[in-house]
Amino acid sequence: MFKPDGNGRRARIGILEAHLDPVPESEMRMLTPSGVSIHTTRVPYGLNAGSSETVDRASAASYVAPPKIDEAVGLLAALRPNAIAHAFTSSSYLLGKQADLALRDRLTDAGGGIPIVIQALAIVDALEELGASRIALFHPPWYQEDVDALGVEYFQSHGLDVVQHGVAKIESEFCDAKSHDVYTWCTEQTCDAAQAVVLGGAGFRSIGAIDAIEQTLERPVVTGNQATFWRALHHADIHDAVPGYGRLFLRHPARDHR
């Protein structure tokens, strides 16, 4: 008789994302169990808050610099979410491991203690949960080569072995990669030595290809938005299986070690 009304009776998840990126909230909506609601605040991305369709060091540094992102966290915190997902990858690459952890602490303080999920740290957690330490790391075509290299350094600093990496050579408009193209690239390019495929970049639309890639390669696939939302749900003590979006969403609850 009564229909779902969108109320987050079980949990609310906040999302921080770049103002020009439509991907994280739309992908996370596909991963949202019944009774969970998501709420987004956008943060200006690019120098002088202008638009940018490349990912470079300067833009990533500007994105996480105070006070704008801290203020955005404060706005989300007013909704009392169970966790806030920071849907951005390249800032972690730029900052490095220790500064990334410091950013998480800073934003946690800005949110009054609400757990903050940093995307690259969530990927590390997801790989540990899946028991994969040797990875093929692919980034969207609008990433610059130096940012891709920083990604390699970042995951290596967490003890992961990046056996293959690069920018996916697919035809794509900014933030509009097609599932078929992502699938083709990953299945044709992933080397045998990789235990898992990692697709970095919050704007890399790719969750629609996860299941097909996993079936073909018989290895897990971890994407930035998938891992971030998985981690945020676990902070909310939500452990529902979400079939069709990877082995990660069929796992038992993660150890809360970070």
Side-chain angles (χ1 to χ4, degrees), residues 105-144:
D105 292 343
R106 189 188 98 207
L107 296 183
T108 300
D109 289 343
I114 293 170
I116 302 292
V117 180
I118 302 293
Q119 187 154 98
L121 293 174
I123 292 172
V124 173
D125 285 346
L127 290 166
E128 182 175 343
E129 179 69 14
L130 292 163
S133 60
R134 298 193 306 276
I135 65 172
L137 175 64
F138 300 129
H139 292 113
W142 51 86
Y143 262 48
Q144 295 184 353

Side-chain angles (χ1 to χ4, degrees), residues 22-188:
V23 178
E25 63 184 309
S26 59
E27 289 200 326
M28 291 179 187
R29 197 170 302 280
M30 303 307 297
L31 302 170
T32 303
S34 177
V36 176
S37 59
I38 61 175
H39 309 273
T40 303
T41 292
R42 296 188 171 275
V43 182
Y45 172 72
L47 297 178
N48 301 316
S51 64
S52 173
E53 294 192 354
T54 62
V55 173
D56 55 43
R57 294 176 186 237
S59 296
S62 174
Y63 181 79
V64 295
K68 291 178 181 178
I69 195 169
D70 306 70
E71 293 169 349
V73 169
L75 291 173
L76 278 174
L79 298 175
R80 300 192 302 277
N82 298 81
I84 294 175
H86 177 225
F88 202 79
T89 304
S90 56
S91 59
S92 294
Y93 297 171
L94 172 74
L95 292 171
K97 179 179 179 180
Q98 295 306 317
D100 208 25
L101 293 169
L103 173 66
R104 185 181 64 184
D105 292 343
R106 189 188 98 207
L107 296 183
T108 300
D109 289 343
I114 293 170
I116 302 292
V117 180
I118 302 293
Q119 187 154 98
L121 293 174
I123 292 172
V124 173
D125 285 346
L127 290 166
E128 182 175 343
E129 179 69 14
L130 292 163
S133 60
R134 298 193 306 276
I135 65 172
L137 175 64
F138 300 129
H139 292 113
W142 51 86
Y143 262 48
Q144 295 184 353
E145 297 293 340
D146 64 332
V147 178
D148 172 69
L150 287 173
V152 175
E153 294 176 11
Y154 182 90
F155 289 115
Q156 287 175 335
S157 74
H158 283 274
L160 295 165
D161 183 7
V162 183
V163 298
Q164 181 182 14
H165 69 95
V167 173
K169 301 292 193 294
I170 61 176
E171 293 293 329
S172 174
E173 297 293 330
F174 183 63
C175 293
D176 194 29
K178 303 298 190 294
S179 293
H180 177 269
D181 294 334
V182 176
Y183 166 82
T184 300
W185 175 267
C186 291
T187 55
E188 291 182 352

Side-chain angles (χ1 to χ4, degrees), residues 208-253:
I210 292 174
D211 190 54
I213 298 168
E214 288 193 342
Q215 289 187 38
T216 299
L217 294 181
E218 299 183 339
R219 279 167 280 181
V221 175
V222 175
T223 80
N225 294 328
Q226 172 216 38
T228 303
F229 199 62
W230 166 82
R231 199 74 182 97
L233 288 173
H234 282 220
H235 277 298
D237 201 27
I238 303 292
H239 308 292
D240 299 31
V242 184
Y245 292 101
R247 298 182 190 180
L248 183 62
F249 266 85
L250 300 177
R251 303 285 296 180
H252 293 296

